[in-house]
Amino acid sequence: MVQIASEALGTITNERELYKTVLVLTLELLDASGGAVLVEGEDVVSFGLNDSGETLAALETVRIKGRVPWVGRLGQHHALGVGFGRADGAVFLVREERPYTEAECASLRLVARQLARAQERSRLYASLEKTTLEAISALAAALESRDGTTGGHIRRTQVLAGEVARTMGLSSEEVRTAQYAVVLHDIGKIGIPDSILNKLARLTEEEWEIMRRHPKMGADIVGEISGFDSVTGAVLSHHERYDGLGYPERLTGADIPVGARLISAIDAYDAMTNDRPYRKALTRQEAMAELEANSGSQFDPTVIEALTTVLLKREEHEPEREKEPGQ
Ligand SMILES: [Fe+2]
């Protein structure tokens, strides 16, 4: 059982998911009716504690700091707990029927040791992921300066993609995909000649044909990064339209990866609300009206709804400054 727990923990990289899995596994392993994982500065993760308020309050007072298991009573329950990690976590089990044995204490100690390793890995993974995103952003920023986009586009769209994806209730994996994809979506422009990329005049049909290759070229580049399959899909499809009139595959509606549907709306919003060489920026209100007008044709209505929610919330907290005449 400890072996199974250890294997399961090895594959989890999100800390809260990790705690939940540990609880479910150890409840089974040690015949407990409920349990909780407490980590300094984080919300308690608990399972099977019906009178949770009271029991959790009692657990908080125990404050186990060491690796030596603690056995005692919490109200009607027999309880067993042990600390893990750098003295900031503890795992507890409770049951009504009988006290915990020495052997059960030893088993929980083993689980706690695995938990400490998994917690360490999860924190390492989080910092590694941050570094990867920073490296990718630097690469995309180099491209941004080449196609004349004003600075800050990547950072702004990345923040907005995260907020909109969370508002849509997407999974943490999908939020992560959206944030990577929005940073990387135009990376394929690296293969488009400057004469086309920076041309201010209207592109000819041949030039458009070359320009339209950038999603595929981007997907080929991103596809080389292991574990980026969903990001690759979003990059490939970021010029698809909800009504099927986009490119390169003329996908429709939900057939377009959700990351791509997010990028198309967020990228359009950011482009509209910032100055470009050929036109002045629209206000937030004007851009929102423009998105609304194209909801259901160019853009996914669910994305526009979430984006509008996020923007209205921003409006409450940081109202957009009125523009001076002539600015
Ligand atoms: Fe693009």
Side-chain angles (χ1 to χ4, degrees), residues 71-73 78-80 95-102 104:
V71 181
R73 284 192 76 93
H78 295 284
L80 164 63
R95 69 182 174 207
E96 283 186 30
E97 300 79 30
R98 56 189 194 288
Y100 282 94
T101 64
E102 288 267 329
E104 287 172 321

Side-chain angles (χ1 to χ4, degrees), residues 18-190:
L18 186 72
Y19 303 148
K20 248 185 264 166
T21 308
V22 168
L23 269 183
V24 174
L25 287 169
T26 46
L27 286 184
E28 180 116 346
L29 171 68
L30 298 176
D31 196 21
S33 60
V37 174
L38 288 83
V39 173
E40 195 89 34
E42 303 216 10
D43 289 342
V44 176
V45 174
S46 69
F47 200 88
L49 295 176
N50 297 329
D51 54 346
S52 52
E54 216 175 284
T55 313
L56 286 177
L59 284 181
E60 297 270 13
T61 62
V62 177
R63 293 199 172 280
I64 290 188
K65 290 285 183 197
R67 308 276 190 281
V68 180
W70 169 87
V71 181
R73 284 192 76 93
L74 290 168
Q76 298 298 309
H77 295 104
H78 295 284
L80 164 63
V82 67
F84 67 85
R86 291 185 192 143
D88 66 348
V91 52
F92 284 93
L93 300 175
V94 297
R95 69 182 174 207
E96 283 186 30
E97 300 79 30
R98 56 189 194 288
Y100 282 94
T101 64
E102 288 267 329
E104 287 172 321
C105 291
S107 295
L108 188 63
R109 223 174 143 175
L110 284 178
V111 171
R113 203 178 298 160
Q114 292 297 338
L115 186 53
R117 287 196 195 128
Q119 184 194 44
E120 194 73 19
R121 260 200 305 272
S122 152
R123 290 180 179 178
L124 199 67
Y125 181 82
S127 99
L128 191 68
E129 189 162 271
K130 187 167 167 277
T131 314
T132 309
L133 191 54
E134 280 165 2
I136 283 171
S137 300
L139 183 69
L143 178 72
E144 192 176 64
S145 65
R146 182 177 159 239
D147 80 353
T149 318
T150 49
H153 174 68
I154 289 170
R155 188 181 39 75
R156 287 192 306 267
T157 52
Q158 193 195 332
V159 171
L160 195 52
E163 285 179 46
V164 175
R166 276 187 284 271
T167 304
M168 287 173 73
L170 299 187
S171 69
S172 55
E173 187 58 33
E174 287 169 318
V175 172
R176 175 180 164 272
T177 296
Q179 287 190 304
Y180 276 125
V182 83
V183 170
L184 287 168
H185 73 276
D186 268 341
I187 204 87
K189 284 187 179 169
I190 229 156

Side-chain angles (χ1 to χ4, degrees), residues 186 214 238-239:
D186 268 341
H214 80 270
H238 77 271
H239 279 289

